[in-house]
Amino acid sequence: MTRVTPEPPRLCFRKFCGRSAEFMVEKRSEQRHRLLKTGTIKFGGSAIACMVRNMSNTGAALDVTSPDAIPEHFTLVFDSEGRHVPCHIVWRNEKRVGVAFD
């Protein structure tokens, strides 16, 4: 019988605070890749411009001007490709939202 050793949790850099850095345990199932693409968040006849900062097959991080104005479920449109992807918000901070693709 072969014993499978679980992978240790990945650490990712969260932010730099003065002389110390804050780290958090990576919880994503797939690693995200950095990119810089324009996008549009569409919901209920409204549209909000965003910048896709990183992405994996299961989700992305989006830079936005006002995260509180974005509903829990929306469609992300990749402007350069015209691709529409249904999403839901997993986390929010001051200028960025993390989404999972539905």
Side-chain angles (χ1 to χ4, degrees):
M1 183 166 149
T2 305
R3 177 180 249 180
V4 177
T5 306
E7 245 183 71
R10 293 176 295 191
L11 293 177
C12 66
F13 179 72
R14 186 168 184 182
K15 63 182 175 180
F16 184 75
C17 303
R19 293 179 181 234
S20 64
E22 182 180 320
F23 290 88
M24 64 183 210
V25 174
E26 177 64 69
K27 297 177 185 174
R28 296 182 187 109
S29 59
E30 291 193 35
Q31 185 175 0
R32 289 192 180 172
H33 303 282
R34 291 184 189 182
L35 65 127
L36 193 59
K37 286 187 176 186
T38 59
T40 304
I41 296 168
K42 292 194 173 184
F43 57 93
S46 297
I48 296 174
C50 69
M51 187 65 65
V52 183
R53 297 306 303 237
N54 63 50
M55 187 170 72
S56 72
N57 290 332
T58 59
L62 312 174
D63 282 351
V64 294
T65 55
S66 180
D68 295 333
I70 301 169
E72 291 298 314
H73 295 271
F74 60 87
T75 299
L76 174 61
V77 179
F78 291 90
D79 295 340
S80 62
E81 305 163 18
R83 186 170 58 140
H84 293 65
V85 182
C87 302
H88 67 273
I89 293 181
V90 178
W91 56 265
R92 302 173 196 252
N93 69 21
E94 304 84 40
K95 297 287 181 187
R96 191 172 283 186
V97 294
V99 301
F101 301 144
D102 294 337

